[in-house]
Amino acid sequence: MRVLVVEDERRLADGLRTGLVAEGFAVDVANNGPDGLWRAREHRYDAIVLDIMLPGMNGYKVCESLRRDGVWTPILMLTAKDGEWDEVEALDTGADDYLTKPFSYSVLLARLRALVRRGTPPRPTVLTAGELRLDPASRRVSRGEVEIALTAREFALAQFLLRRRGEVVSKREILEQVWDYDFEGDPNIVEVYVGHLRTKLGRGAIETIRGAGYRMGR
Ligand code: CA
């Protein structure tokens, strides 16, 4: 299993390399955005650990460029809770998961393993369900001919549900993926946002599966 670590903090990058190698991963390290982008395009990796604040090009840009180029290697983004960056943006740009710094190494390892296990399915650039169309690259959502404006969070929620199209997704999973793993606010926020999406996308767009969660598409 081959992992690319894109991280400019040398100590963290070295620590990750040492730890991941000890776990049996082959590890390449890039210390800036452009180098990370180049490596991710030129080589095949099972997963990429991508920092956001990077010299040359930030992690969001790297991620966006890769997805636009059709590189769907699973990406775990490292975010810092400094108020400047929103974790949701990480998912919006096409990352598969994110971890807020500082993080524990064992958590990173577990997340990375989960990503590698999930693998790199050939993902459609455009997600659809019936007449609904969501393009992660251009961030456009439409129903038939009508374009629909969504907020960043609504978009992230719709995208998450559409990526899991036909599956019942629990409120907990939604909170973890669209909000934060450590989300401690009111979990009813999910219902509120599902309500917003139904208003914008059409009442039938999202099914409520009693006691289990929500489902989009079949
Ligand atoms: Ca950094």
Side-chain angles (χ1 to χ4, degrees):
M1 282 184 296
R2 203 165 158 181
V3 176
L4 174 64
V5 174
V6 189
E7 169 61 78
D8 59 316
E9 290 165 51
R10 295 279 173 165
R11 271 183 54 194
L12 181 53
D14 289 347
L16 287 176
R17 187 208 298 268
T18 307
L20 291 171
V21 165
E23 296 292 331
F25 289 90
V27 181
D28 285 343
V29 174
N31 297 117
N32 61 62
D35 186 33
L37 181 61
W38 180 82
R39 283 171 193 267
R41 274 184 183 145
E42 296 301 314
H43 305 289
R44 247 202 54 74
Y45 293 100
D46 295 291
I48 299 170
V49 177
L50 179 61
D51 189 31
I52 288 178
M53 297 291 278
L54 291 166
M57 180 188 247
N58 73 42
Y60 291 135
K61 289 259 162 63
V62 172
C63 187
E64 248 169 17
S65 303
L66 287 173
R67 296 318 191 215
R68 240 196 336 263
D69 292 350
V71 178
W72 292 104
T73 310
I75 292 178
L76 174 63
M77 217 175 245
L78 302 180
T79 64
K81 265 224 162 78
D82 57 5
E84 193 180 345
W85 305 97
D86 188 341
E87 288 83 359
V88 170
E89 283 191 79
L91 300 179
D92 282 352
T93 56
D96 299 85
D97 200 357
Y98 60 83
L99 203 52
T100 306
K101 287 178 176 179
F103 51 82
S104 89
Y105 178 71
S106 58
V107 172
L108 175 117
L109 196 60
R111 298 278 190 82
L112 205 53
R113 285 223 164 97
L115 278 188
V116 170
R117 241 190 340 263
R118 242 188 276 161
T120 311
R123 274 180 276 183
T125 326
V126 175
L127 303 166
T128 60
E131 284 215 293
L132 201 66
R133 198 171 177 283
L134 182 147
D135 184 349
S138 67
R139 299 184 45 79
R140 284 206 162 125
V141 180
S142 58
R143 183 177 196 91
E145 299 295 308
V146 184
E147 190 132 338
I148 300 163
L150 298 182
T151 65
R153 190 78 72 173
E154 289 164 359
F155 186 91
L157 175 58
Q159 179 168 254
F160 180 62
L161 289 172
L162 281 171
R163 278 204 173 134
R164 301 275 301 270
R165 202 190 129 158
E167 289 177 43
V168 179
V169 185
S170 74
K171 212 193 268 186
R172 174 51 42 195
E173 277 178 278
I174 294 172
L175 274 177
E176 288 178 354
Q177 294 289 336
V178 181
W179 274 264
D180 194 320
Y181 279 90
D182 311 315
F183 185 82
E184 276 170 4
D186 185 351
N188 288 323
I189 188 87
V190 175
E191 281 161 47
V192 172
Y193 273 82
V194 165
H196 291 172
L197 275 183
R198 280 186 176 133
T199 305
K200 292 186 175 181
L201 305 179
R203 291 227 54 83
I206 302 170
E207 275 179 275
T208 301
I209 314 298
R210 257 188 98 108
Y214 300 99
R215 178 168 60 200
M216 235 172 146
R218 296 253 179 178

